[in-house]
Amino acid sequence: MEEPLTPKRSVTVADVARAANVSKATAARVLGGYGVVSDKVREQVLAAASALEYRPNELARSMTTGKSGIIGVVVGDIENAFFSLAVRGISDVARMAGFNVIIANSGEELDTEKSAVDLLIGKRVDGLIVTPARCDRMEHLRDIRRVGVPLVLFDRSIPELGVDSVTGDDFDAAVTAARHLLDMGHRRIAYISAMDAESEFLSSSRTLSNSAVRERVDGVLKAQAGTSIEESRHYVRLGATNQPRTDAVVKRLLQDAAPPTALIASDSLVGLRVFKTLQTLGLSIPRDISMISFLDADWTTVTTPPITVVDQPVYEMGKKAAEKLISRLNGKTVPVERIAIKTSLIRRGSVAAPPQGRT
């Protein structure tokens, strides 16, 4: 019978000090990154720490310095390539600045987001980057400010909250996508979103609690200024949260008395679901219906045909959010700013003139 393993005692600052032949206070200054020591002493301490496989006690460090060296990030859906790329950008900037990152996934659920924020605040994160599930429910975000933790919003903005935000140019991007379809002859353009709502149909964009969705919807409607607002709004559909619900949304659109001739998907996950639905229905893109998706995800280039996309520089957006937060953590005092990163339309083979007789 094997002997049970005896837990290994953690290496302490005192152990490192003895090995480096310096005082505990000196070792603490080197390992904590504060105070002044000579290069020779620093090298001695770091060499001893490496040899002993010393791991810092982050809780003790945060109690001593008031800083944890950690940034908390709460995203809407880590499965979505948009957020995965954003987190990569955030993490790369944070690492270069000496910060670690803790990531939480809200699943676009407000209660889950609140719990994640509470957990991260409890872990004494130095700052937070949050993608709010709802832009009309912000008390927990106000609490972040009340406890003195710097906050940057990502992908969505809440002007009345008075914090920095980094978003795409959602309104202009949607206008550009819709105008491209209009230029190709389309007059019935559907916009399909994963945003969950009581009804699949949109009564007014003012009811949308997600600022990014609201601005994109407004952009699509604005581009169709020559059409009545009621008619354009009829083709805006919500609730494409999974494949079965996306199937249902697309089928109802296509069974309409005047079905759309083109579709705009709100993000890459929705776009992939819509593409699968159209394949299942035996429809050819763009012969039977044209399609545009937000985000230049990998799948959009390997389909037949490749998909026209709104190219969002998401990695750069993530970097910019981290840079903004770190500048606040470093004490930089500047006016609150909303940074809207420009997007572009990549034209591929999924858009053509509408079928004859369906304009």
Side-chain angles (χ1 to χ4, degrees), residues 290-306:
S290 290
M291 175 181 171
I292 294 177
S293 178
F294 271 74
L295 188 63
D296 188 21
D298 289 343
W299 71 267
T300 63
T301 61
V302 298
T303 56
T304 304

Side-chain angles (χ1 to χ4, degrees), residues 67-132:
K67 301 292 183 182
S68 65
I70 299 172
I71 290 172
V73 180
V74 183
V75 296
D77 183 2
I78 200 66
E79 181 187 359
N80 191 323
F82 177 89
F83 290 115
S84 299
L85 282 169
V87 166
R88 174 73 180 274
I90 292 168
S91 299
D92 285 352
V93 169
R95 185 179 65 254
M96 292 297 292
F99 289 90
N100 293 312
V101 175
I102 297 179
I103 302 164
N105 185 50
S106 73
E108 300 289 7
E109 295 287 342
L110 182 63
D111 287 342
T112 305
E113 179 185 308
K114 288 179 178 178
S115 296
V117 166
D118 287 344
L119 176 65
L120 292 168
I121 293 295
K123 288 187 176 295
R124 295 173 173 267
V125 295
D126 295 331
L128 278 164
I129 298 173
V130 177
T131 300

